[in-house]
Amino acid sequence: MRRFSPSVALIALAVGVAGLSTSSRAETGQVAVVFTKGGFIVGVGGGEGVLVLRGKRYPFTVSGMSVGFTIGASTTKFVGRALNLKGPASIEGTYGTVGAGGAVAAGAGGVQLQNANGVILQLSGPRVGAEVSAAVGGVTIRLK
């Protein structure tokens, strides 16, 4: 039976780890979104936004729906970050709230959302209009 030297095993491990870390580098981009929402019981919303990644702009559309207690209408101009991007296309998908995060009902709002690709959007911005909401829902982002 042959014995492997510890140095050969360490080199193989180092090469394997280096290969994994190079291919899985996540990036952070800047996001700006204008989202309008309104409804009575069922809330429906939509809007447009832009992802800035590596100095390039990627426009997208946002659509969403919530079911629960929703009355009124509002427009929110969100700005923030998109974390864990593996390229611009990874921002696409359906997002739900992360943990206990959610929208603040009055004045400035903040939200943290995550999609199935692991991308996390951390957004905040002022809300214009009158809306009271205690609803559950999600938003879908598609690149234009």
Side-chain angles (χ1 to χ4, degrees):
M1 186 186 255
R2 291 179 112 175
R3 295 185 71 189
F4 289 100
S5 125
S7 60
V8 171
L10 286 175
I11 291 171
L13 179 63
V15 169
V17 169
L20 288 175
S21 65
T22 303
S23 65
S24 64
R25 290 193 184 175
E27 298 181 88
T28 299
Q30 300 301 311
V31 178
V33 179
V34 176
F35 190 80
T36 301
K37 178 182 171 189
F40 180 75
I41 306 301
V42 175
V44 178
E48 295 187 338
V50 65
L51 164 68
V52 178
L53 182 64
R54 292 181 241 127
K56 189 168 180 188
R57 297 171 60 87
Y58 299 92
F60 58 82
T61 60
V62 182
S63 61
M65 187 169 99
S66 60
V67 178
F69 177 73
T70 300
I71 297 175
S74 66
T75 297
T76 306
K77 296 178 181 181
F78 288 112
V79 293
R81 303 183 304 167
L83 308 171
N84 301 328
L85 291 167
K86 297 192 176 43
S90 63
I91 197 169
E92 291 189 310
T94 300
Y95 288 79
T97 58
V98 176
V104 176
V111 67
Q112 182 165 303
L113 305 167
Q114 184 171 2
N115 71 7
N117 298 326
V119 174
I120 297 173
L121 299 179
Q122 295 176 333
L123 305 170
S124 63
R127 179 175 296 169
V128 177
E131 178 207 355
V132 177
S133 179
V136 175
V139 296
T140 301
I141 292 179
R142 296 281 176 243
L143 290 173
K144 289 186 178 179

